[in-house]
Amino acid sequence: MLRLSTLLVAGAISANAQSLYDAISKIPELSNFTEFYNNNQAVASVLFNNQANYPITFLAPSNKAFADYQARTGTPLADVPAEKLLELVQYHTLVSNLSLGGSGDAGASGLTVPTFLTNTEFNNRSVGVSMASKFGGTARASGQVVFIRSAESGGSKKRFVLSRQEGGAQSSIRSGLSSNVNLTVVNDEQGLWVGGRFHIVDGLLTPPTLCKTTIREATLTNLDRALNRTGLWDALDTSKNVTCLGPNDKAFADAGSPDSKLNQTALSNAILFHTLPEVAYSDYLENGQEFKSLQNGTVRVKIEGTGKDRKIWFNNAKVVDANVL
Ligand SMILES: *[C@@H]1O[C@H](CO)[C@@H](O)[C@H](O)[C@H]1NC(C)=O
Ligand SMILES: *[C@@H]1O[C@H](CO)[C@@H](O)[C@H](O)[C@H]1NC(C)=O
Ligand SMILES: *[C@@H]1O[C@H](CO)[C@@H](O)[C@H](O)[C@H]1NC(C)=O
Ligand SMILES: *[C@@H]1O[C@H](CO)[C@@H](O)[C@H](O)[C@H]1NC(C)=O
Ligand SMILES: *[C@@H]1O[C@H](CO)[C@@H](O)[C@H](O)[C@H]1NC(C)=O
Ligand SMILES: *[C@@H]1O[C@H](CO)[C@@H](O)[C@H](O)[C@H]1NC(C)=O
Ligand SMILES: *[C@@H]1O[C@H](CO)[C@@H](O)[C@H](O)[C@H]1NC(C)=O
Ligand SMILES: *[C@@H]1O[C@H](CO)[C@@H](O)[C@H](O)[C@H]1NC(C)=O
């Protein structure tokens, strides 16, 4: 008995003691990233060899992610300049040790997690009290976030790299410009390394950018027109700590096209009523919670259901796409 438990401990320690490089180089679908790591030791070591950063979870891009990047941009990732690479790698590095298996860390409502991307070109958020306490303090939680949607009930099987189980719902990671990539959860045996864990993403994450670019990319045409008419773009793009409840084109149409019919004052007030003075990620929202909008009216949260059936309303408006970063 004693002998057996000694053996088990020894096994666990050796899995934990491997470097990230050792861990990823054993996974065939990470061969491009392994080569990339080899060629960018300086970038990698800043993040992965620095114990002050631990524990971290790295989202390693699969070979498909490398191929897709090259197909989309016409440039191989290897040709991206070093400082851009560092930002990209920072955004794939989460400030927490997340197993993400089954009904694990991401829970039924998903999970917003800060990364190491702190450059204000991509990150002007301020850290709320709840997120700071959840992720090791204001400084550690200050980087731009990703949103993890867990595999839902029924998909509670773990997906392993070597023995993939199909059929369950797909876990995904949301990054900037509403982009979503699929997540393969790696089990402890393969995924643990000395600084934490890694999991696999099948596309590169997109660092978030200005509100203006994000709203236009989402083709919210009427909201774009309303913001043009009221001249509120600059305020929106320079304000920290705000959440925009962006009505889609159908919502504008259903409301009788206020973007063209209301006068500027009334339209500004309507937009300020849709702007909350704090960052409200969906996983932190609670039923009955109230916000005072920038127009001073009260916005009340209603939540029904759990897991993939969890639905959120702000007053009587239903959320159709949450956490556009
Ligand atoms: C990925 O690796 C394969 C071989 O494993 C290679 O043919 C391909 O060129 C690599 N792609 C990139 C973008 O590095
Ligand atoms: C953050 O703020 C800085 C300075 O105000 C600005 O230059 C930058 O574009 C902003 N970035 C985003 C993503 O909002
Ligand atoms: C994620 O998986 C779905 C279904 O398997 C697939 O259609 C989609 O293209 C994948 N996304 C990416 C970014 O590869
Ligand atoms: C990460 O969590 C696992 C347990 O889930 C633990 O064994 C491991 O030591 C942790 N790694 C770090 C660097 O904290
Ligand atoms: C808003 O203004 C920009 C810049 O002037 C313009 O390109 C865009 O088409 C306008 N949007 C709408 C919906 O009119
Ligand atoms: C703008 O419209 C509101 C009501 O929609 C009205 O009360 C207000 O007087 C109008 N302001 C101007 C300057 O026309
Ligand atoms: C952001 O908003 C939250 C909630 O209102 C507040 O507690 C926090 O202090 C704000 N952060 C900054 C930097 O203003
Ligand atoms: C909201 O109320 C504050 C004071 O409580 C005031 O300074 C501000 O002008 C009001 N905003 C609007 C849009 O009425």
Side-chain angles (χ1 to χ4, degrees):
M1 202 55 186
L2 194 67
R3 196 175 283 256
L4 182 61
S5 61
T6 307
L7 214 88
L8 285 173
V9 167
I13 286 171
S14 71
N16 261 308
Q18 65 183 342
S19 67
L20 178 61
Y21 184 82
D22 291 342
I24 58 163
S25 59
K26 291 172 192 156
I27 312 286
E29 71 185 279
L30 295 180
S31 63
N32 288 159
F33 181 71
T34 303
E35 188 189 341
F36 171 89
Y37 192 128
N38 246 333
N39 296 335
N40 294 279
Q41 298 279 348
V43 168
S45 67
V46 172
L47 280 161
F48 306 130
N49 297 344
N50 182 354
Q51 287 189 25
N53 290 339
Y54 300 169
I56 63 191
T57 297
F58 180 63
L59 302 175
S62 67
N63 289 356
K64 176 179 174 299
F66 275 75
D68 286 357
Y69 180 87
Q70 185 159 355
R72 188 161 44 84
T73 64
T75 313
L77 207 50
D79 292 354
V80 174
E83 73 277 7
K84 287 287 150 211
L85 281 182
L86 178 61
E87 288 162 356
L88 205 55
V89 175
Q90 284 172 331
Y91 194 46
H92 286 71
T93 310
L94 316 182
V95 301
S96 189
N97 181 3
L98 300 170
S99 78
L100 297 178
S103 56
D105 308 296
S109 317
L111 182 70
T112 312
V113 193
T115 71
F116 280 84
L117 183 64
T118 52
N119 184 338
T120 57
E121 187 185 342
F122 312 104
N123 178 51
N124 272 337
R125 55 180 281 270
S126 57
V127 186
V129 182
S130 335
M131 196 173 281
S133 69
K134 190 166 180 172
F135 292 104
T138 306
R140 188 159 164 84
S142 67
Q144 185 52 269
V145 301
V146 296
F147 181 70
I148 302 173
R149 221 178 313 230
S150 63
E152 302 291 357
S153 43
S156 58
K157 301 167 192 159
K158 287 193 189 190
R159 242 176 292 266
F160 299 129
V161 181
L162 295 182
S163 60
R164 217 177 278 262
Q165 295 176 18
E166 302 297 345
Q170 186 86 41
S171 298
S172 69
I173 308 271
R174 163 158 281 202
S175 55
L177 299 179
S178 309
S179 110
N180 295 306
V181 300
N182 298 313
L183 173 77
T184 298
V185 172
V186 182
N187 66 7
D188 284 4
E189 198 186 322
Q190 297 172 79
L192 282 173
W193 58 283
V194 67
R197 296 169 189 278
F198 76 92
H199 300 294
I200 300 176
V201 285
D202 70 353
L204 286 182
L205 307 183
T206 307
T209 183
L210 293 174
C211 191
K212 188 185 278 176
T213 313
T214 307
I215 284 177
R216 287 184 179 155
E217 182 87 10
T219 59
L220 296 172
T221 309
N222 298 76
L223 182 58
D224 182 6
R225 180 176 304 120
L227 285 159
N228 277 355
R229 274 194 61 211
T230 54
L232 283 170
W233 278 123
D234 286 348
L236 205 51
D237 272 343
T238 54
S239 301
K240 303 187 181 205
N241 218 18
V242 297
T243 299
C244 181
L245 305 175
N248 61 14
D249 287 350
K250 180 173 183 304
F252 272 96
D254 290 351
S257 306
D259 52 318
S260 48
K261 297 215 171 120
L262 290 186
N263 64 34
Q264 276 199 22
T265 315
L267 187 55
S268 286
N269 275 323
I271 287 176
L272 294 177
F273 187 42
H274 287 76
T275 311
L276 311 180
E278 62 184 283
V279 184
Y281 300 113
S282 65
D283 48 324
Y284 286 87
L285 294 173
E286 286 167 17
N287 189 36
Q289 187 176 355
E290 290 186 346
F291 293 94
K292 190 179 183 187
S293 74
L294 291 183
Q295 167 267 359
N296 290 333
T298 299
V299 176
R300 191 181 167 85
V301 176
K302 184 173 85 174
I303 298 180
E304 283 177 3
T306 55
K308 69 174 184 303
D309 297 323
R310 187 172 187 257
K311 297 196 170 52
I312 302 172
W313 286 261
F314 286 96
N315 289 349
N316 59 357
K318 187 176 171 186
V319 174
V320 292
D321 192 12
N323 305 312
V324 178
L325 304 173

